[in-house]
Amino acid sequence: MRGMATVRSIFLSDIHLGTRACQADQLLDFLREYETEHLFLIGDIIDFWSMSRSIHWTPAQNTFVQKILRRARRGERVVFIPGNHDEALREYVGIAFGDIEVVAEHVHQLADGRRFLLLHGDEFDQITRHHRWVAVLGDVAYNLLVRLNGLLSYTRRRLGIAGYWSLAGYAKRRVKTALQFVFDFEDSAIHSAHQRGLDGIICGHIHSAAIRQVGDLTYVNCGDWVDSCTAIVERLDGSLELIAWGSTRLIAEPVTVIPAPYTEETACVS
């Protein structure tokens, strides 16, 4: 049995505990592979929106909560930034629960000195902010796609078709308005980091994992543990890495996407 990899930070978002779509088993497998100094939970960890309609809480989801509490007790720094699906917990910003800090946002300094804004990202979503009923309707539709994707994945396995294919991801890529929404979201996020004089932003919300250099700033999105099963890790040297774990474990090892090294020569003024 191989040992755990040591990283400086782990960034997770959009786990959606309390729903059928939550892939807690995959998340637990991922966490068993990594030990870290800092663990950042960047919103929509618990899905109170879906739980108001129906609750689906599995033993794996319960184990995840216990594992996070245990890590915090052992001295690992755990920071929780509520999102829109667990916005009720924003009332407790500034309070620590079982050694877990609850904050509205956070500025994290990487090992290489770069400073990143951490927040969920619903602040940049005009639909969520101003048309909540549309956001709730979209959430129901997305959950339906994810559940259909489970049936599709089962069928593909029965037919001996290897690999994982995401119906929800395909729909987002094919719908022009959805793509424009992602682009607008990323632009708003980058603009926010630029206004604060920071080097980049790490967020979630749109379930679209990415590490992208935009001028002299870095846009990072954690993705989700509903469909894509992705996380961001900070290596000991401060470099950021996107880990796509694979939602059906058809991928035996984590697939990594490593951004180009950040240097003064590659940076430019936007």
Side-chain angles (χ1 to χ4, degrees):
M1 181 179 178
R2 63 182 182 181
M4 296 175 69
T6 300
V7 295
R8 187 167 183 265
S9 306
I10 295 175
F11 307 87
L12 302 170
S13 75
D14 298 273
I15 298 170
H16 292 273
L17 295 171
T19 70
R20 290 182 180 276
C22 173
Q23 300 206 43
D25 289 303
Q26 304 300 328
L27 180 53
L28 288 172
D29 285 345
F30 165 75
L31 289 174
R32 291 186 186 106
E33 297 290 332
Y34 292 91
E35 59 181 0
T36 184
E37 299 175 32
H38 312 276
L39 175 60
F40 296 101
L41 304 172
I42 310 181
D44 288 1
I45 306 305
I46 306 171
D47 194 334
F48 290 127
W49 284 17
S50 293
M51 290 171 67
S52 67
R53 299 187 294 269
S54 65
I55 299 175
H56 185 78
W57 197 277
T58 65
Q61 293 182 34
N62 199 53
T63 300
F64 167 76
V65 174
Q66 293 175 347
K67 179 178 283 291
I68 296 302
L69 291 170
R70 190 161 53 247
R71 283 187 170 215
R73 286 196 301 269
R74 290 203 306 257
E76 191 172 304
R77 187 186 184 192
V78 180
V79 177
F80 174 44
I81 301 171
N84 54 302
H85 283 256
D86 43 24
E87 62 187 350
L89 298 177
R90 286 173 172 164
E91 297 181 11
Y92 301 98
V93 162
I95 299 174
F97 292 96
D99 300 315
I100 296 176
E101 305 170 47
V102 182
V103 299
E105 59 181 48
H106 179 71
V107 175
H108 175 64
Q109 183 167 318
L110 303 181
D112 60 11
R114 288 179 293 161
R115 298 168 68 239
F116 277 68
L117 174 64
L118 274 55
L119 45 70
H120 179 60
D122 57 296
E123 299 87 344
F124 311 126
D125 180 351
Q126 297 304 310
I127 294 176
T128 298
R129 290 184 63 188
H130 303 296
H131 305 283
R132 183 185 174 98
W133 71 270
V134 177
V136 172
L137 183 61
D139 178 59
V140 172
Y142 179 78
N143 286 337
L144 177 61
L145 281 177
V146 171
R147 294 183 69 173
L148 288 174
N149 207 98
L151 178 61
L152 178 62
S153 296
Y154 173 78
T155 303
R156 286 168 61 89
R157 290 196 300 272
R158 295 284 292 179
L159 294 176
I161 302 174
Y164 176 72
W165 185 76
S166 169
L167 176 62
Y170 174 79
K172 285 190 291 186
R173 290 190 297 271
R174 295 293 294 177
V175 179
K176 184 177 181 180
T177 53
L179 288 174
Q180 189 58 52
F181 169 81
V182 171
F183 296 148
D184 291 344
F185 179 92
E186 293 179 356
D187 288 345
S188 297
I190 282 292
H191 181 67
S192 179
H194 177 72
Q195 282 188 316
R196 302 189 190 204
L198 300 173
D199 298 295
I201 186 168
I202 301 176
C203 58
H205 186 61
I206 60 173
H207 293 209
S208 184
I211 298 179
R212 187 171 297 113
Q213 196 72 20
V214 182
D216 58 347
L217 300 175
T218 306
Y219 167 81
V220 182
N221 195 294
C222 302
D224 66 273
W225 289 88
V226 168
D227 181 46
S228 58
C229 294
T230 52
I232 302 294
V233 300
E234 177 195 356
R235 296 295 181 182
L236 298 180
D237 63 357
S239 62
L240 295 173
E241 183 175 350
L242 191 162
I243 305 225
W245 192 251
S247 58
T248 61
R249 289 314 302 269
L250 294 175
I251 301 173
E253 299 291 335
V255 176
T256 59
V257 181
I258 304 175
Y262 180 91
T263 66
E264 292 184 358
E265 288 73 20
T266 60
C268 61
V269 178
S270 59

